[in-house]
Amino acid sequence: MIFSQSPAPRHQPHARGEHAGNTSVLDPPATSWQNTWMIHLRDARQNELPSLSALCLRSKAVWGYDDAFMIACRTELTLVPDELKSTHVQVAERGTIVAGLAQVKVTDTDADLLKLFVEPALLRSGVGSLLFEWATARARSLGAVRMVIEADPGAAAFYERMGACHAGFARSQSIPGRVLPRLLLELDKPASIRPRVGS
């Protein structure tokens, strides 16, 4: 998945990628509710898949990865037309600007959060939280009772804050020999009683 398939970067960028404790650049600030009302969610369109893939790469890069790492991730971060039939892709818009996207695949009672990316200029605006809530709602509506998230190490704290629990590690699909935090979210539990790590 992707906020996901990455090893820990060799260095963190000094602006957006730096985080202290369990905070992360994905976390909305306390005033994010003032921004989220302007966000509109809609299904992805086939003709915008190249631009959405480019957004995924820009968002991934905020963690400070070098060019070689980003090239290795390119295939996994690229959306292709067939995925619009086999998965569910949602786009967040702020006015006429694409602010982020999320991709979910449901198989029987299991859901995989394959992608959740936010335009770097709109990180900490609440877009990530809105997309995550859409992903969980869509997964539930399709009969899923749990969601699996293979997270980028820098994004794991965000998913924990959204109620997911650490459940071991998964192999990166892009970087041989690397492992990623694997998280689980129980979708059949009310949000109010799900554990919120670090909150």
Side-chain angles (χ1 to χ4, degrees), residues 149-151 156 165-171 179-184:
I149 306 161
E150 295 174 10
C165 295
H166 184 72
F169 296 91
R171 294 183 184 215
V179 295
L180 308 168
R182 183 175 186 269
L183 299 102
L184 288 178

Side-chain angles (χ1 to χ4, degrees), residues 47-61:
N47 65 356
E48 65 184 343
L49 294 184
S51 62
L52 294 177
S53 299
L55 185 158
C56 292
L57 286 164
R58 287 194 301 275
S59 185
K60 185 77 168 180

Side-chain angles (χ1 to χ4, degrees), residues 42 48 52 55 91-94 96-101 119 122:
R42 62 167 174 80
E48 65 184 343
L52 294 177
L55 185 158
V91 172
E93 285 184 321
R94 186 176 182 181
T96 60
I97 304 299
V98 173
L101 66 98
E119 184 66 52
L122 292 173

Side-chain angles (χ1 to χ4, degrees), residues 71-145:
I71 290 170
C73 289
R74 184 176 297 274
T75 298
E76 192 174 2
L77 296 176
T78 298
L79 288 156
V80 296
D82 283 350
E83 290 181 276
L84 295 182
K85 299 176 183 177
S86 60
T87 70
H88 303 266
V89 183
Q90 195 76 357
V91 172
E93 285 184 321
R94 186 176 182 181
T96 60
I97 304 299
V98 173
L101 66 98
Q103 181 184 25
V104 175
K105 182 174 184 178
V106 175
T107 305
D108 297 325
T109 58
D110 289 328
D112 288 290
L113 182 62
L114 301 176
K115 293 179 178 66
L116 197 164
F117 290 102
V118 175
E119 184 66 52
L122 292 173
L123 288 167
R124 296 184 61 82
S125 68
V127 174
S129 295
L130 283 178
L131 285 167
F132 188 81
E133 291 300 330
W134 166 83
T136 57
R138 176 60 60 89
R140 275 195 211 93
S141 73
L142 295 170
V145 299

Side-chain angles (χ1 to χ4, degrees), residues 12 16-27 63 124 152-161 197-199:
Q12 295 288 344
R16 292 190 174 89
E18 239 174 27
H19 57 281
N22 282 332
T23 64
S24 113
V25 296
L26 298 176
D27 293 320
W63 301 115
R124 296 184 61 82
D152 186 289
F158 166 77
Y159 294 118
E160 289 179 329
R161 258 201 259 315
V197 179
S199 59

